[in-house]
């Protein structure tokens, strides 16, 4: 029985399989390193050095061969021992096939031994060739010289910088920089683009790839559950946004169905969109989350919740991040301190973020930030006008601020209210009221109640005079934040509720006759009460802001919106008396409904993505690169329009058919000038009128015409007959005025209730 166990073939089969597996693993380890694809962490300039050396590899193979030969000899001894005894004679009938496999097994072992011997010879040859090639490569690495190519003027300077500072960021070593001259040049030519490719590098010609598959189509969604999962958990601010999305879910679904019917089955490419809410990251402090459930500040999170809902309902592919680590992972940021480009092309068509997120992206994307900056959309509550956006100009002219100087296209900034047409109006959603709710609000309205908006105690300071006038006619309610003691800045006659949750604050506004805002930057939108706002005279902080709420003043107006000078007591009191006698129904502009926001964002995605809003820097003035003016005098000869006989029509958005060119009065902005004619200023049209001949078409005499960098140009100084054209396209601006200049202003029509879009823009 013991002898039978010793000569049974199955253990030997298992053993031989083990030997074969071990041999295969060894060969993959020893030889695979010579031909395997380079890992991201490996140096692209050196042969893999972690494989065994030549002598060690040959020694291991010889030991394997000797072991197999010894195994074969022992098998032969066991076979002879078995043949010399009669122990098996009685069992031959039971095991008739055991001998034949034994002979076959010995033959296989002999074959394996011979193969291992042959492999050892081949490995020896490969290792010799590898060492020889390594010496050649090392020689090339030591012989690199900085190329003198006029197409790459910055190459020498960048190499000098790498010599001194390549160890300042681990990302350079990640991409293979090892301190040699060639590693600098390879990095600067293949990872960055400051040096020409090295001729001795293996630049394989890529085979023509098949055309990419057609992009997936965006389909309006019917459920918001997946969006709630994407938003995630762990922060009170996220809980607030998810609660808001659930509360408005039915309004979003109805709005999506209506817009889908209006678009009548038009093809819409699905965009891959990253939403990074930077102010909620731990690195930015996340000061909002601890106070969000107590009532404030809520404006930013209200807007972000609505942006997420709109993008999702439109059918686009979303990723949502509220941490720096997630942002780095989604972007493909290499390990290090952020000086190197991304490890792969940016996988997103659009990135929506805020100033915190914008700063984080700039710090961690290296040169890729400049390369992909056109895909960024910045949610900017108050907006950024071109004079503040252009870094060089803002520094020279004193417009520099903590939030400006990004050198983006101004349309990439997306605002809460349409403060300036230079930016894109993103907006937010106000809850729509049905007829029953409207009747209930009217029935519960308190005609002698006013809600004064101002959460911070500091903004109440010095406002006692007009508050006392208001108190003569109405009971004043406030929502000023405090922890233990009532702020002394708030007058005693004000009934302060402290910070209120959003739904309680809305109920307070619906009950009041007047919703009034202390002069400040962001008053609420009037929905269920009359809004009383402050007019600025002279203009307060921006050359284009004439009141506390320009949108409400210009596009809603009386009887729902009253704008008065709070420094004029008589005007203020007269307005209060008139408001007391005025009856209004709740009013909500279309652009602040779910459908209005879906419509607007759909138009932006379809047209602003396709137009590639960031032209290369350093280009000449648009007037120098475009054909003759396609404009013509209108029939009444008061302004210019796009000529019906023009031989060309650019693929512009908004369509050029909506363009009208008007000349401003001195001290008037283009925003004001267009509004005076029932239009809105359209900065994307400046390029069509930034031409010397346009002055002639408007019968403006110019003794001289100059190109300069000024956010007021194109303009004319009529008293000296000097005309000026814009030299820097990033400074085309609807804002700004000067007593010296009359500006050329591009205007367009707009959809009723949707100021951001022209009549044919959808």
């Amino acid at each position: 029985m013991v002898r039978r166990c010793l000569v049974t073939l199955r253990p030997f089969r298992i053993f031989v399989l083990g030997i074969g597996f071990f041999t295969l693993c060894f060969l993959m380890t020893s030889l695979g390193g010579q031909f395997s694809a380079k890992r991201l962490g490996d140096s692209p300039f050196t042969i893999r050095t972690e494989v065994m050396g030549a002598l060690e590899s040959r020694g291991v193979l010889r030991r394997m061969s000797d072991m197999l030969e010894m195994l074969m000899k022992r098998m032969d001894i066991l076979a002879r021992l078995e043949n010399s005894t009669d122990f098996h004679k009685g069992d031959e009938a039971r095991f008739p096939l055991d001998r034949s496999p034994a002979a076959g097994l010995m033959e296989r072992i002999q074959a394996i031994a011979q193969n291992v011997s042959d492999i050892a010879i081949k490995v020896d040859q490969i290792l010799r060739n590898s060492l020889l090639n390594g010496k050649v490569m090392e020689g090339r690495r030591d012989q690199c010289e900085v190329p003198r190519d006029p197409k790459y003027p910055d190459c020498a300077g960048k190499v000098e910088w790498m010599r001194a500072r390549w160890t300042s960021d681990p990302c350079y070593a990640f991409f293979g920089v090892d301190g040699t001259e060639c590693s600098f040049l390879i990095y600067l030519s293949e990872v960055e683009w400051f040096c020409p490719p090295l001729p001795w590098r293996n630049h394989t010609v890529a085979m023509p790839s098949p055309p990419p598959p057609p992009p997936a189509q965006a389909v309006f969604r019917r459920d918001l559950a997946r969006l709630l999962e994407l938003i995630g958990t762990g922060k009170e601010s996220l809980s607030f946004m998810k609660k808001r999305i659930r509360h408005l879910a039915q309004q979003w679904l109805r709005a999506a169905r209506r817009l889908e019917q209006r678009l009548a089955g038009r093809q819409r490419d699905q965009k891959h969109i990253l939403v990074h809410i930077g102010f909620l990251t731990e690195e930015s402090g996340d000061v909002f989350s601890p106070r969000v459930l107590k009532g404030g500040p809520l404006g930013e999170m209200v807007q972000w919740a609505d942006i997420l809902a709109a993008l999702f309902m439109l059918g686009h592919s979303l990723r949502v991040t509220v941490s720096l680590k997630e942002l780095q992972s989604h972007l493909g940021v290499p390990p290090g301190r952020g000086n190197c480009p991304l490890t792969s092309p940016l996988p997103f068509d659009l990135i929506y973020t805020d100033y915190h997120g914008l700063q984080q992206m700039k710090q961690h994307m290296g040169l890729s930030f400049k390369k992909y900056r056109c895909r960024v959309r910045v949610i900017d509550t108050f907006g950024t006008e071109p004079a503040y956006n252009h870094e060089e100009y803002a520094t020279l002219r004193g417009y520099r601020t903590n939030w400006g100087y990004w050198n983006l296209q101004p349309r990439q900034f997306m605002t809460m209210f349409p403060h300036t047409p230079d930016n894109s109006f993103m907006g937010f959603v106000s809850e729509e009221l049905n007829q029953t709710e409207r009747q209930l609000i009217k029935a519960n309205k308190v005609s002698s109640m006013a809600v004064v908006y101002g959460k911070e105690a500091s903004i109440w300071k010095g406002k006692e005079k007009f508050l006392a006038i208001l108190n003569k006619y109405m009971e004043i309610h406030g929502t000023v934040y405090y922890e233990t003691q009532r702020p002394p800045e708030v007058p005693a006659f004000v009934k302060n509720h402290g910070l209120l949750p959003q739904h309680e604050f809305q109920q307070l506004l619906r009950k009041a006759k007047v919703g009034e805002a202390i002069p400040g930057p962001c008053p609420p939108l009037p929905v269920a009460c009359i809004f009383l706002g402050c007019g600025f005279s002279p203009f307060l902080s921006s050359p284009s802001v004439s009141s506390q709420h320009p949108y409400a003043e210009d596009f809603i107006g009386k009887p729902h919106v009253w704008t008065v000078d709070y420094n004029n007591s008589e005007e203020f009191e007269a307005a209060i008396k008139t408001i007391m006698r005025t009856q209004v129904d709740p009013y909500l502009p279309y652009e602040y409904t779910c459908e209005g926001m879906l419509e607007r964002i759909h138009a932006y995605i379809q047209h602003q993505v396709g137009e590639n809003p960031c032209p290369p820097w350093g280009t000449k003035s648009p007037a120098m690169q475009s054909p003759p003016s396609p404009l013509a005098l209108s029939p009444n000869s008061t302004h210019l329009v796009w000529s019906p006989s023009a031989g060309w029509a650019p693929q512009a958005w908004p369509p050029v058919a909506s363009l009208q060119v008007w000349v401003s009065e001195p001290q008037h902005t283009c925003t004001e000038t267009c509004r005076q004619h029932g239009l809105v200023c359209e900065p994307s049209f400046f390029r069509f009128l930034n031409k010397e001949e346009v002055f002639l078409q408007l019968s403006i005499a110019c003794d001289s015409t100059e190109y300069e960098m000024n956010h007021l140009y194109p303009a004319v100084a009529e008293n000296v007959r000097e005309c000026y054209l814009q030299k820097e396209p990033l400074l085309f601006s609807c804002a700004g005025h000067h007593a010296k200049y009359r500006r050329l202003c591009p205007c367009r029509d707009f959809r009723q209730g949707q100021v951001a879009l022209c009549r044919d823009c959808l």
Side-chain angles (χ1 to χ4, degrees):
M1 181 68 69
V2 174
R3 187 177 299 172
R4 182 183 303 170
C5 292
L6 290 174
V7 298
T8 301
L9 295 179
R10 288 176 183 170
F12 282 98
R13 292 174 184 168
I14 297 172
F15 179 74
V16 170
L17 288 174
I19 290 294
F21 179 74
F22 174 74
T23 304
L24 179 62
C25 290
F26 174 82
L27 293 176
M28 290 175 66
T29 303
S30 298
L31 301 181
Q34 304 296 329
F35 310 107
S36 62
K38 176 175 68 68
R39 299 172 302 176
L40 277 177
D42 294 335
S43 167
F45 322 114
T46 58
I47 294 176
R48 294 272 294 276
T49 57
E50 62 266 38
V51 299
M52 295 182 180
L55 294 176
E56 183 181 357
S57 299
R58 289 193 291 269
V60 172
L61 287 170
R62 289 196 188 97
R63 287 195 294 274
M64 288 178 61
S65 180
D66 294 342
M67 183 175 64
L68 289 170
E69 290 180 6
M70 183 176 293
L71 175 63
M72 184 179 63
K73 291 178 181 178
R74 291 182 179 178
M75 286 283 294
D76 186 56
I77 293 172
L78 289 173
R80 288 198 301 271
L81 180 61
E82 181 184 29
N83 292 334
S84 63
T85 179
D86 294 330
F87 184 82
H88 258 56
K89 289 181 179 178
D91 293 333
E92 288 179 354
R94 294 171 56 194
F95 303 100
L97 301 176
D98 279 1
R99 292 183 183 181
S100 178
L105 182 59
M106 292 180 65
E107 292 175 0
R108 292 190 185 98
I109 293 175
Q110 286 178 325
I112 291 174
Q114 183 61 43
N115 288 338
V116 171
S117 178
D118 294 341
I119 290 171
I121 296 172
K122 293 179 180 179
V123 168
D124 183 69
Q125 294 173 348
I126 291 173
L127 291 174
R128 289 177 184 274
N129 291 335
S130 297
L131 291 174
L132 179 61
N133 291 335
K135 291 179 180 179
V136 173
M137 291 288 290
E138 190 68 31
R140 285 178 175 170
R141 294 173 63 205
D142 293 339
Q143 296 173 5
C144 281
E145 295 182 359
V146 179
R148 305 295 178 182
D149 191 331
K151 296 179 181 178
Y152 299 88
D154 299 324
C155 182
K158 291 293 181 179
V159 171
E160 187 65 29
W161 187 95
M162 292 290 288
R163 290 193 193 109
R165 301 184 184 180
W166 75 273
T167 58
S168 63
D169 194 324
C171 72
Y172 296 117
F174 174 84
F175 281 109
V177 177
D178 58 8
T180 62
E181 206 77 349
C182 282
S183 70
F184 298 152
L185 290 172
I186 293 174
Y187 173 84
L188 292 171
S189 62
E190 297 180 12
V191 180
E192 297 184 3
W193 43 87
F194 293 104
C195 295
L198 299 178
W200 53 269
R201 290 284 289 172
N202 184 19
H203 301 288
T204 57
V205 179
M207 297 296 293
S209 57
Q217 293 299 297
V219 179
F220 284 94
R221 291 190 169 96
R222 298 287 183 263
D223 191 289
L224 285 161
R226 175 58 183 155
L227 174 61
L228 300 178
E229 295 177 7
L230 288 173
I231 293 175
T233 59
K235 291 178 179 287
E236 291 182 350
S237 49
L238 298 180
S239 299
F240 171 83
M241 288 192 283
K242 291 165 71 172
K243 183 178 180 180
R244 175 175 173 82
I245 292 172
R246 291 191 194 98
H247 180 68
L248 296 176
Q250 292 305 312
Q251 292 190 31
W252 283 115
L253 294 172
R254 288 194 296 269
R257 285 194 293 268
R258 290 194 295 265
L259 182 59
E260 183 178 21
Q261 293 172 356
R262 290 169 53 203
L263 295 178
R266 296 183 201 173
Q267 295 293 304
R268 299 183 300 118
D269 292 346
Q270 186 185 61
K271 305 298 182 182
H272 296 277
I273 299 175
L274 174 65
V275 178
H276 177 61
I277 310 176
F279 74 88
L280 292 183
T281 62
E282 297 299 328
E283 290 76 11
S284 67
D286 189 13
V287 296
F288 290 86
S289 290
R291 294 171 56 188
V292 65
L293 297 182
K294 299 178 182 178
L298 302 177
E300 289 83 357
M301 280 164 285
V302 164
Q303 188 179 33
W304 276 111
D306 296 345
I307 291 170
L308 286 168
L311 293 172
F312 185 81
M313 292 305 298
L314 287 169
H316 298 292
S317 174
L318 297 187
R319 291 289 183 272
V320 183
T321 66
V322 291
S323 78
L324 180 59
K325 185 176 180 180
E326 289 178 335
L327 174 68
Q328 292 172 319
S329 175
H330 285 306
L331 294 179
V333 175
R337 299 187 178 91
N339 290 305
C340 297
L342 303 180
T343 58
S344 58
L346 187 69
F348 300 103
D349 301 300
L350 283 171
I351 299 176
Y352 288 84
T353 189
D354 52 26
Y355 278 114
H356 293 282
L358 193 64
Q359 185 64 42
Q360 291 167 351
M361 291 169 59
K362 183 178 180 181
Q363 289 175 348
H364 295 278
M365 290 179 65
L367 287 176
S368 295
F369 180 78
K370 181 177 179 181
K371 179 178 181 180
Y372 294 117
R373 73 188 190 279
C374 294
R375 304 189 190 183
V376 177
R377 300 294 181 267
V378 184
I379 306 304
D380 179 5
T381 301
F382 307 121
T384 300
E385 294 168 358
Y388 299 87
N389 170 60
H390 193 284
E391 183 175 17
E392 179 186 357
Y393 185 77
T395 303
L396 292 173
R397 298 297 184 95
Y399 292 112
R400 192 176 176 95
T401 64
N402 292 331
W403 40 263
Y405 65 84
W406 284 98
N407 290 320
L408 299 178
Q409 282 290 318
R411 284 302 181 93
Q412 292 177 254
F413 299 103
M414 314 196 88
T415 61
M416 183 172 286
F417 297 99
H419 298 298
T420 168
D422 289 323
N423 302 148
S424 297
F425 168 45
M426 173 60 75
F428 59 94
V429 167
S430 290
E431 186 174 358
E432 299 175 59
L433 304 175
N434 58 38
Q435 190 60 35
T436 301
E437 291 170 326
R438 290 171 176 269
Q439 294 298 328
L440 186 62
I441 289 174
K442 292 182 67 174
N444 294 330
K445 185 71 66 176
V446 179
S447 60
S448 60
M449 175 180 172
V451 175
V452 176
Y453 182 84
K455 295 181 179 181
E456 297 293 336
S458 60
I459 66 175
W460 289 70
K461 188 175 182 179
K463 310 300 190 300
E464 295 85 358
K465 185 176 180 180
F466 79 83
L467 288 173
I469 297 174
L470 180 63
N471 188 53
K472 288 169 55 178
Y473 301 92
M474 297 185 179
E475 180 183 65
I476 302 177
H477 293 249
T479 58
V480 185
Y481 172 76
Y482 68 96
E483 294 184 355
T484 57
Q485 186 176 358
R486 179 186 175 96
E489 296 88 349
V490 181
F493 53 76
V494 175
K495 185 177 181 180
N496 186 30
H497 299 263
L499 287 182
L500 292 177
Q502 186 186 28
H503 69 281
E504 294 184 24
F505 179 66
Q506 290 292 339
Q507 291 299 323
L508 195 65
L509 283 177
R510 291 177 180 180
K511 189 177 179 181
K513 172 80 170 183
V514 172
E516 181 179 3
I518 289 178
C522 190
L525 184 75
V527 176
C529 61
I530 295 174
F531 174 74
L532 180 61
C534 176
F536 300 146
S537 181
F539 293 163
L540 183 63
S541 59
S542 167
S544 65
V545 178
S546 60
S547 69
Q548 190 175 12
H549 208 318
Y551 164 78
E553 178 187 15
D554 291 338
F555 294 98
I556 301 178
K558 296 177 181 179
H560 296 90
V561 175
W562 293 68
T563 302
V564 298
D565 183 0
Y566 281 24
N567 294 318
N568 187 327
S569 299
E570 294 181 359
E571 179 185 347
F572 181 79
E573 188 166 4
I576 296 296
K577 291 179 180 179
T578 305
I579 289 173
M580 294 290 292
R581 300 190 299 267
T582 303
Q583 300 295 324
V584 297
D585 292 328
Y587 174 74
L588 178 63
Y590 171 76
E591 49 211 329
Y592 284 94
T593 66
C594 291
E595 185 176 357
M597 190 170 186
L598 285 174
E599 177 184 278
R600 191 164 57 250
I601 295 179
H602 157 73
Y604 290 155
I605 290 177
Q606 290 299 110
H607 299 286
Q608 286 188 346
V609 172
E611 70 179 4
N612 188 19
C614 295
W617 287 8
T619 56
K620 296 181 180 179
S621 168
M624 298 180 181
Q625 298 178 327
S626 55
S629 171
L631 304 175
L633 276 174
S634 63
N636 59 6
S637 301
T638 58
H639 61 282
L640 300 180
V641 297
W642 193 269
S643 173
S645 60
W648 63 287
Q651 294 296 318
W653 189 84
V656 292
S658 63
L659 168 62
Q660 297 183 26
V661 181
W662 291 85
V663 182
S664 78
E665 294 299 323
Q667 202 71 25
H668 279 213
T669 69
C670 281
T671 301
E672 293 175 298
T673 300
C674 293
R675 286 296 302 135
Q676 290 172 356
H677 298 286
L679 306 167
V680 295
C681 183
E682 178 51 60
S684 66
F685 287 157
F686 268 113
R687 58 193 172 115
F688 299 123
L689 52 102
N690 193 46
K691 307 172 188 293
E692 186 173 359
E693 59 195 281
V694 173
F695 290 109
L696 298 177
Q697 290 179 294
L698 290 167
S699 300
I700 296 175
C702 302
D703 290 343
S704 65
T705 304
E706 299 180 10
Y707 284 91
E708 292 186 10
M709 193 167 66
N710 190 310
H711 73 286
L712 302 178
Y713 297 164
V716 56
E718 286 190 316
N719 59 331
V720 290
R721 298 164 62 99
E722 292 178 351
C723 297
Y724 300 92
L725 296 174
Q726 182 60 257
K727 183 179 180 181
E728 171 52 73
L730 284 180
L731 285 174
F732 282 138
S733 177
C734 295
H737 60 85
H738 194 281
K740 176 182 177 181
Y741 299 119
R742 297 183 67 196
R743 301 187 57 189
L744 302 189
C745 298
C747 308
R748 64 162 170 84
D749 55 34
F750 60 93
R751 299 169 66 87
Q752 188 64 35
Q754 186 72 288
V755 64
L757 303 180
C758 70
R759 292 172 186 165
D760 297 325
C761 277
L762 193 60

